[in-house]
Amino acid sequence: MKLYLPEEMRYEGLLAVNLSVTRINKAMAETNDARFKAHYGVFPSVCCCLWKDLQTTSVEEARIEPKDINLKHFFMALHTLRKYPTEYEREAIFDISIRGGRDWSWFYVRKIQALKAIKVVWPEFGPEVWIISVDGQHCWKQEPSNSPWSLDRRHFSFKYHRAGWCYELALSLADSKLVWMNGPFPAGMSDQKIFKEEGLQEKLVALGKKAIADSGYSGPQISTRNEAYDSDSVRIFKSRALLRQEKFNGRMKTYESLSSRFRHEEDKFKSVFEAIAVLCVYEMENGMPMYDILIPAVLDADEYREDIEIVLYSEDDEDESSEDDSSDEEDDTGAVWL
């Protein structure tokens, strides 16, 4: 078993994308970390944890045998997720044959995907009624057609105004954890329909719990923002939960394999999406958690109703959220006026 320190992982990763030794050594560690993340989506410290787990995990589908261990192939898989290159582009970057680059990239992507068995787990919840936030994430894909002149309306995404896939994701409200991932579904299938028919509503009913969601959802197991009935603290709590969900979606969309048109078939999209979700979970576990929802400003909101600004996430929250979240379309101030 071969393990690496973050400094070694960073150095090897930058060499793999053809940065010269001189250029690497002249830069500060922060600059090289940013370079590494730009090519691979995560920081070297996260890669070290992932690399170790791929060799030691008890999940048989995810464990890589010693004969298949190759750091360059590992980097190719991460680069495929982050930059989604064509096969000719990957050939030039990693100096590998088209077939070899294709086979080994998807081999490692699927190994990372398989770690979802231990990284995306439904936990034992406490007595709280609201336990998760839920939302559907749409991704653009190549337009399917039944004939050269007809389009499949089932795949139409109202978010992209073109064909897409949809995944249902749920975050724990109490912890910085992804606890539910279900898909892919044709983007023409509404979030509400997926929630009701694909298992999550049934799971919440069995537990007697509820999810916080946006106005695209409804039903007894859903709680949305309601200006008429919610107290100030409840309204802000729900707003922070929904914004946090969008922040997580934004982290995933920094990967170009999800933010650009997906060129491959459904099974590869499933592998890519779930592998990226696993990488985001690793980030949350290794220094980049999602911000806490229940902060003092939320608890105190009902006591202070003067014309003051209650911020949905504090400066500490901003520090915890990665710079990757710049792709979000939410208001950066994240503020609600009382």
Side-chain angles (χ1 to χ4, degrees):
M1 181 172 64
K2 174 65 174 175
L3 302 181
Y4 293 89
L5 295 173
E7 300 79 24
E8 296 171 325
M9 184 68 73
R10 180 176 60 214
Y11 184 79
E12 294 295 334
L14 294 180
L15 286 179
V17 289
N18 298 321
L19 265 74
S20 68
V21 173
T22 301
R23 186 171 294 276
I24 295 171
N25 291 337
K26 285 175 62 177
M28 297 180 65
E30 293 79 4
T31 300
N32 283 331
D33 278 343
R35 289 169 171 169
F36 188 96
K37 195 173 194 305
H39 286 284
Y40 303 118
V42 291
F43 286 115
S45 57
V46 176
C47 272
C48 290
C49 297
L50 177 60
W51 179 250
K52 178 182 178 181
D53 287 351
L54 287 172
Q55 298 176 73
T56 61
T57 180
S58 59
V59 180
E60 185 175 350
E61 295 80 4
R63 188 171 59 252
I64 300 177
E65 299 302 326
K67 66 182 179 63
D68 294 324
I69 289 292
N70 188 300
L71 190 61
K72 179 179 178 179
H73 297 163
F74 174 66
F75 286 140
M76 283 195 308
L78 294 178
H79 189 267
T80 295
L81 297 174
R82 177 65 178 88
K83 305 301 290 184
Y84 199 39
T86 65
E87 293 184 339
Y88 288 110
E89 290 170 337
R90 182 170 54 222
E91 178 188 30
I93 293 170
F94 291 96
D95 190 25
I96 191 171
S97 69
I98 287 179
R99 181 175 180 178
R102 178 198 309 137
D103 291 346
W104 283 112
S105 291
W106 288 110
F107 174 84
Y108 271 83
V109 166
R110 292 188 176 104
K111 291 296 184 180
I112 297 170
Q113 174 198 12
L115 288 171
K116 69 179 182 178
I118 56 175
K119 292 300 178 179
V120 184
V121 180
W122 189 267
E124 292 292 331
F125 289 101
E128 301 85 1
V129 175
W130 295 338
I131 57 171
I132 59 172
S133 61
V134 62
D135 194 19
Q137 183 171 162
H138 286 205
C139 299
W140 179 20
K141 73 166 186 171
Q142 189 162 301
E143 185 76 54
S145 62
N146 300 319
S147 76
W149 308 107
S150 66
L151 302 180
D152 191 338
R153 294 182 179 275
R154 295 176 304 165
H155 293 268
F156 178 77
S157 168
F158 70 91
K159 295 182 180 180
Y160 282 101
H161 300 287
R162 51 176 64 95
W165 295 112
C166 180
Y167 252 90
E168 183 180 52
L169 300 175
L171 294 175
S172 169
L173 296 179
D175 302 296
S176 183
K177 293 180 179 179
L178 178 66
V179 298
W180 178 265
M181 177 169 59
N182 195 16
F185 304 102
M189 192 174 181
S190 69
D191 292 348
Q192 173 73 3
K193 185 178 179 67
I194 294 171
F195 175 76
K196 290 182 66 176
E197 298 181 2
E198 299 298 334
L200 185 53
Q201 177 176 267
E202 182 181 355
K203 199 173 189 71
L204 292 173
V205 169
L207 295 173
K209 304 294 186 181
K210 293 188 176 184
I212 293 177
D214 59 30
S215 58
Y217 292 81
S218 63
Q221 305 310 127
I222 290 292
S223 183
T224 60
R225 287 178 291 192
N226 190 314
E227 298 291 339
Y229 297 102
D230 289 345
S231 67
D232 295 327
S233 59
V234 169
R235 178 164 54 87
I236 297 171
F237 181 86
K238 290 180 179 178
S239 295
R240 285 178 61 85
L242 294 177
L243 180 59
R244 183 171 173 259
Q245 183 82 34
E246 292 297 331
K247 288 284 183 181
F248 182 81
N249 292 349
R251 285 190 181 187
M252 294 193 66
K253 286 296 182 70
T254 61
Y255 290 82
E256 293 182 25
S257 53
L258 297 186
S259 60
S260 61
R261 179 172 60 88
F262 195 78
R263 305 182 299 269
H264 294 83
E265 57 271 16
E266 180 179 349
D267 67 319
K268 287 187 175 178
F269 173 75
K270 182 178 178 67
S271 295
V272 163
F273 190 97
E274 294 180 357
I276 290 173
V278 167
L279 292 177
C280 290
V281 172
Y282 268 92
E283 281 191 318
M284 291 191 292
E285 294 175 348
N286 292 275
M288 297 177 64
M290 305 305 294
Y291 62 77
D292 292 333
I293 300 174
L294 198 60
I295 60 173
V298 175
L299 298 173
D300 298 340
D302 291 333
E303 299 180 21
Y304 302 100
R305 282 206 48 84
E306 293 87 3
D307 292 333
I308 60 173
E309 184 185 43
I310 301 297
V311 179
L312 292 184
Y313 59 93
S314 65
E315 292 181 1
D316 291 339
D317 299 336
E318 182 67 24
D319 292 339
E320 292 172 357
S321 298
S322 77
E323 54 203 30
D324 304 335
D325 299 340
S326 59
S327 64
D328 295 349
E329 297 179 0
E330 298 292 328
D331 180 2
D332 288 338
T333 62
V336 169
W337 289 89
L338 299 181

